[in-house]
Amino acid sequence: MNDASTPSLPVTRSLNRLGQAISLARRRRHLSQQDLADRIGASAHTVRRLEAGHPGTALVHFARALQVFGELDKLDQLLDTPQDTIGLILMDEKLPQRVRKSRKTSESGAF
């Protein structure tokens, strides 16, 4: 039985990949964990947890790290609603089959 506070395996893997990517981006920029911690306003321990993909790390630390790396726009693209295929399909399923003109009279003030 899976505890609600324990992330699923796909979530854990994604967090680990994100942590590894942050670690790689930091090292490519020749920043120590303490340097990154100073720039995101956190402790070196938080950076270690972030890079380890710890599920309890606050999203704000990920966002600040992305900002340091010049990649904050990637956060905005995570759930691009105009490209949300499933959401658009669900909306389209609720569209009426036929559209009829309303029976407005000129006395009602409608066009």
Side-chain angles (χ1 to χ4, degrees):
M1 188 172 213
N2 194 9
D3 183 4
S5 64
T6 304
S8 66
L9 186 57
V11 170
T12 300
R13 286 179 180 156
S14 289
L15 287 172
N16 287 335
R17 280 192 302 270
L18 180 57
Q20 290 169 358
I22 288 173
S23 174
L24 183 61
R26 175 185 59 78
R27 290 180 286 129
R28 283 180 175 165
R29 288 162 177 77
H30 301 285
L31 295 172
S32 68
Q33 287 180 332
Q34 186 60 54
D35 291 337
L36 180 59
D38 292 342
R39 293 185 68 180
I40 68 172
S43 67
H45 177 71
T46 298
V47 171
R48 282 191 293 278
R49 289 168 48 101
L50 185 121
E51 291 181 355
H54 189 276
T57 307
L59 181 60
V60 68
H61 299 304
F62 285 102
R64 287 178 179 160
L66 288 172
Q67 184 178 25
V68 167
F69 302 141
E71 301 287 345
L72 187 58
D73 61 316
K74 302 281 173 72
L75 186 60
D76 294 332
Q77 297 170 8
L78 284 179
L79 191 55
D80 187 14
T81 54
Q83 301 300 320
D84 180 11
T85 307
I86 295 171
L88 292 171
I89 289 170
L90 292 170
M91 284 175 53
D92 288 349
E93 286 177 353
K94 292 185 178 183
L95 289 175
Q97 293 297 315
R98 289 182 261 163
V99 178
R100 297 183 183 146
K101 288 189 176 194
S102 61
R103 294 185 181 191
K104 303 267 184 193
T105 64
S106 60
E107 297 170 359
S108 68
F111 292 102

